[in-house]
Amino acid sequence: MLLAGCATTSLPPSTVDTGGPEREARALAAAGNVPAALAIYTDLHARAIGPERARWALEVAELLVDSNDGDGARTWLERAAADASPDQTSRRIAIDASLSLLDGNAAEAL
């Protein structure tokens, strides 16, 4: 017996596999190669949308804070705000507090 029919299946939306690049960026940052790590995170940011885009902007901001680049970190923190979800608020606040500490303003960090 031969059965024929039409069926539609819905496929999950295509997403960028960030596992490899993210691991590479973290390894580069840990090894002190901040420019290479920033290049990867910037590329991931450029290819993402919504909260995922904010996630990469926050990664860049944190790495810049760790590198004592407060101005750069502020720029990326502002970029993150445009796409951030409510779940990312605490991370944004923590980065902002780190920026205050970097500026020597401990009272503002609280």
Side-chain angles (χ1 to χ4, degrees), residues 16-95:
V16 175
D17 175 20
T18 61
E22 181 178 7
R23 279 190 299 275
E24 183 180 0
R26 290 189 188 283
L28 287 165
N33 193 345
V34 173
L38 288 172
I40 292 171
Y41 285 136
T42 300
D43 180 61
L44 290 168
H45 175 266
R47 295 186 290 146
I49 59 172
E52 189 68 11
R53 185 172 172 89
R55 174 184 173 210
W56 301 120
L58 293 169
E59 291 288 343
V60 172
E62 284 181 335
L63 188 52
L64 290 170
V65 167
D66 292 344
S67 300
N68 296 319
D69 182 355
D71 291 338
R74 278 184 190 78
T75 297
W76 281 93
L77 192 57
E78 289 172 13
R79 290 180 187 176
D83 295 309
S85 70
D87 294 339
Q88 293 168 317
T89 300
S90 60
R91 188 171 180 197
R92 288 176 41 228
I93 290 169
I95 295 169

